[in-house]
Amino acid sequence: MNIVMVGTGYVGLASGLGFAKLGHRVVCVDIDASKIAKLELGEPTFFEPGVPETLKEMLEAGRIMFTTSLKDVVDEAQVVIIAVGTPPLPNGQADLSFVYKVAEDLGALLRHDCVVIVKSTVPVGTNRIVLEKIQRAMQEAGHDEATSRVRIGSVPEFLRPGYAMEDFFHPARIILGADDEETFSVLDRLHAGLEAPRVRMSIESAELTKYAANALLATKISFINEIANIADEVGADVREVAQGVGMDPRLGPHFLNAGIGFGGMCFPKDVSALHQIAGTKGYECKLLSAVIEVNSRQRERFLRKVEHDLNGFKGKRIALWGLAFKGGTDDVRGSISIDIAQRLAGRGADVYAFDPKAMDRAKAYLPENVKLCSTAVDACEGADALLVVTEWPEFREVSFEAVRERMIDPRIYDGRNLLTDLELEKKGFSYKGVGVCRPGRHS
Ligand code: UDX
């Protein structure tokens, strides 16, 4: 099939490459000429495992192209996928202006049979508004007779940054939302070659499924963080509890890692958006309010523990491991680690930070008294405490003998329970995780 993908961010580029690899011909469109120029040369504009290799391969095979002109490519498209950004507005709602602009531009150009899919995460009901906007623009362009040829399909994405290509090729399920059999069969052909159960449903159900899935995962995290806080009080170990709980197949072992909470550009935004969607319909979703509240207080609880032990942050030197919102990505959007760096700096600490991939992207968000270091060990030079705030597996491989030698006070506060099993006390550290109690002592 001929696919036009509008937007070359994480979702647009990763899915565009995925569809090309499945055998479709994909043209990616972006208004940013510098991005398009780089992509044409085979250079991705962000770090994502598997993307550079697939980009090179698909460019060489002639199955992916890049352009800034929607007008030049839209006539050939059987499917147009909108994957432009929906950044949060100051009131927390998603800014849909880029999505709607694409809908209007498309409408002015379209006059043939085409299925339009919105991949950007948007509030329930947006797909239908997009279709209305396309059809209105078609009428304004004098193509009234063609409006019934354009149909809308909702196929929410579940790509995790860091695993975007893997998630594209091995999804747990593919959610297909449409109004009619004809559109469902186009969506089926689009995903041919992916071995995953397909679930057909209404457009509204598909839109809501995306939010419900992310909200339930976020709920699991806030739930286990509540248990961790209780574990701290009663002298239990949340990891043991999570293991015991997760072995019940009805509950499952995933997303039960306690820590400083969930960040990123999906969970915080999606949980708030779902809460707000319910609110606009007059329904107060108490569970989601609690999920959000637990998440925002978790980081402060962590910081208070350190602040108490150090007798305040003023003039203290803090080593900070991690700036990305999770391990395996250079993405810092919605990163709790960045928020923690800002809070530490705001309370007078001198912060020495290291992240294996995210330092370039983090720079713009960090105040002056947060210095970036070239290695994890360097960040510990003269430190009064080391805070581990992003779950990079690499941090487990660091020489803790070298860390111990560099620190003034060998205290480790592990906000991700990443190093819990390394027996750091035996290496001369005072170690505290989140809800992790060692036998005979409280964390
Ligand atoms: C998430 C969803 O998993 C994905 O399906 C969706 O499409 C996009 O949002 P992502 O935001 O990339 O993906 O990261 P994920 O691995 O889900 O982690 C989100 C946040 O929760 C991170 O900050 C992570 O550190 C935190 N987390 C995750 C926990 O604190 N505990 C856990 O057990 C799991």
Side-chain angles (χ1 to χ4, degrees), residues 158 161 221 255-257 262-263 266-267 325-326 391 416:
F158 297 97
I221 299 171
F255 279 71
L256 290 178
N257 295 326
F262 56 80
C266 293
F267 286 174
F325 85 90
K326 64 171 187 177
E391 61 275 46
R416 298 292 179 184

Side-chain angles (χ1 to χ4, degrees), residues 79-101:
V79 173
V80 176
I81 304 175
I82 303 177
V84 292
T86 52
L89 289 165
N91 68 0
Q93 277 179 335
D95 180 356
L96 299 175
S97 56
F98 301 106
V99 174
Y100 291 155
K101 172 78 171 66

Side-chain angles (χ1 to χ4, degrees), residues 144-200:
D144 290 60
E145 78 299 338
T147 50
S148 61
R149 294 190 171 168
V150 177
R151 278 152 296 128
I152 197 96
S154 172
V155 187
E157 57 83 18
F158 297 97
L159 306 178
R160 293 163 302 167
Y163 301 89
M165 296 312 299
E166 198 182 309
D167 286 349
F168 182 90
F169 290 113
H170 306 286
R173 77 303 204 191
I174 301 169
I175 303 294
L176 304 177
D179 284 332
D180 53 84
E181 184 54 43
E182 217 178 316
T183 310
F184 276 124
S185 80
V186 172
L187 298 182
D188 269 335
R189 275 197 288 144
L190 179 66
H191 294 90
L194 292 179
E195 300 274 327
R198 294 183 199 166
V199 194
R200 290 183 173 198

Side-chain angles (χ1 to χ4, degrees), residues 158 171 211 295 297 313 417:
F158 297 97
Y211 281 108
N295 197 51
R297 111 183 150 179
F313 285 123
N417 290 347

Side-chain angles (χ1 to χ4, degrees), residues 121 204 304:
T121 296
E204 287 72 15
R304 289 256 167 89

